[in-house]
Amino acid sequence: MTPEQGPPADRRSGTLLAALGVTAFSLTFPATAWGLEGFGPWSLVAVRSVLAAVIAGGCLLSLRVPVPARRHWAGLAVVAAGVVLGFPLLTTLALQTSTTAHAAVVVGLLPLTTALLSALRTGARPSRMFWGAALAGAAAVIAFTVQQSGGALSSADAYLFGALLICAAGYTEGGRLARTMPGWQVIGWALVLCLPLSVPGALVALSYEPVHLSAHSVAGLLWVAAGSQFLGLVVWYRGMAAIGIPKASQLQLAQPLLTLVWSVLLLGEQLTPAAPLTAAAVLICIALTQRARG
């Protein structure tokens, strides 16, 4: 029985879990902006990784999850480099000079980037409709970033596009590993794998970057560590298992638009008309790629 054919109660609970995961992810950029009020970018990323690894390691130990086979560690290293370290660091550096609304629109291209890298990694041959929608989405985001930057890409945009590529690589490898182990264990072991780097990195960063604790900075740090980096992924993967990848991916289409809402409500940012319009255009392109892939 496929997830779509399961009992209605299971489908409803799965949809709720997946929606909670998307909500958790949509708060990542506003929470990062809050965290940057009291932490330097390197400190925020390193401490975030350590805290998330402690939570993940505790779950792995309490459930007595066996250590992955040696053949999986290379893939876990790619996930760690892309999802645990690379994406948080590059987006945090970008948010020092970029608004969360701007970053949300650019990173809204992540599902398309992941799909493209996945096709290259697996040797799949998507349809012309898929490639056309992917290129249209990329063109919309590039036009938006150039327009917002006054005709040239800024350093923040370079960080964001780099984050897209490295995170997509991590997602692609994580999706491959999730065929042999639960998805939450993939991110859990990737977090634990980073501890030899994140612990000394946190100590060094905290010694060089001043820390000014406040309600916002502490709340932002705790959310990106517990909510975005680990717990959000736990409910997301459980929901995806219950309702299936196609239906879950449709819920994720709302993530950039949700982030735009949070940027206004939590940070008081003023949206330009181009931001929601570009986010909606990317949403349509992603929906078309999902239809083409299905």
Side-chain angles (χ1 to χ4, degrees):
M1 178 182 294
T2 64
E4 291 80 358
Q5 296 170 332
D10 289 348
R11 294 200 301 271
R12 285 194 295 270
S13 64
T15 300
L16 176 60
L17 288 171
L20 287 174
V22 170
T23 303
F25 301 149
S26 72
L27 281 161
T28 299
F29 285 173
T32 300
W34 273 7
L36 286 171
E37 294 180 12
F39 294 89
W42 295 90
S43 300
L44 181 62
V45 172
V47 175
R48 159 188 176 165
S49 178
V50 171
L51 292 178
V54 170
I55 298 172
C59 292
L60 292 169
L61 284 174
S62 63
L63 296 174
R64 298 180 179 179
V65 176
V67 176
R70 182 177 299 180
R71 66 181 184 276
H72 296 317
W73 284 103
L76 288 171
V78 175
V79 176
V83 179
V84 177
L85 297 178
F87 183 80
L89 177 60
L90 291 175
T91 53
T92 300
L93 291 172
L95 287 171
Q96 288 187 291
T97 56
S98 170
T99 65
T100 59
H102 181 95
V105 173
V106 176
V107 178
L109 200 61
L110 181 57
L112 290 179
T113 309
T114 303
L116 292 172
L117 288 186
S118 179
L120 295 174
R121 177 75 168 83
T122 61
R125 298 176 63 86
S127 66
R128 291 181 180 178
M129 177 180 175
F130 173 91
W131 291 112
L135 291 174
V141 170
I142 292 173
F144 170 79
T145 54
V146 171
Q147 185 268 332
Q148 292 287 295
S149 302
L153 295 180
S154 66
S155 59
D157 293 323
Y159 286 136
L160 291 171
F161 281 114
L164 278 176
L165 292 175
I166 195 168
C167 188
Y171 276 177
T172 299
E173 196 64 21
R176 186 186 66 82
L177 289 171
R179 298 173 185 172
T180 58
M181 68 179 77
W184 75 270
Q185 293 182 21
V186 174
I187 188 64
W189 286 115
L191 285 163
V192 171
L193 183 64
C194 287
L195 277 174
L197 291 176
S198 59
V199 170
L203 295 175
V204 172
L206 288 171
S207 68
Y208 280 93
E209 294 179 338
V211 175
H212 305 287
L213 296 181
S214 65
H216 273 186
S217 62
V218 172
L221 171 63
L222 293 177
W223 183 261
V224 293
S228 303
Q229 191 79 71
F230 185 66
L231 297 179
L233 285 166
V234 171
V235 295
W236 168 250
Y237 281 122
R238 288 189 63 181
M240 188 166 55
I243 65 176
I245 295 175
K247 288 186 179 297
S249 64
Q250 296 302 310
L251 293 174
Q252 199 172 24
L253 300 182
Q255 185 175 320
L257 294 174
L258 279 175
T259 300
L260 294 183
V261 173
W262 297 130
S263 70
V264 173
L265 295 180
L266 298 179
L267 304 175
E269 292 184 359
Q270 299 294 320
L271 298 183
T272 63
L277 289 176
T278 306
V282 171
L283 186 153
I284 293 171
C285 292
I286 297 174
L288 289 174
T289 63
Q290 293 295 324
R291 182 181 178 86
R293 294 170 71 190

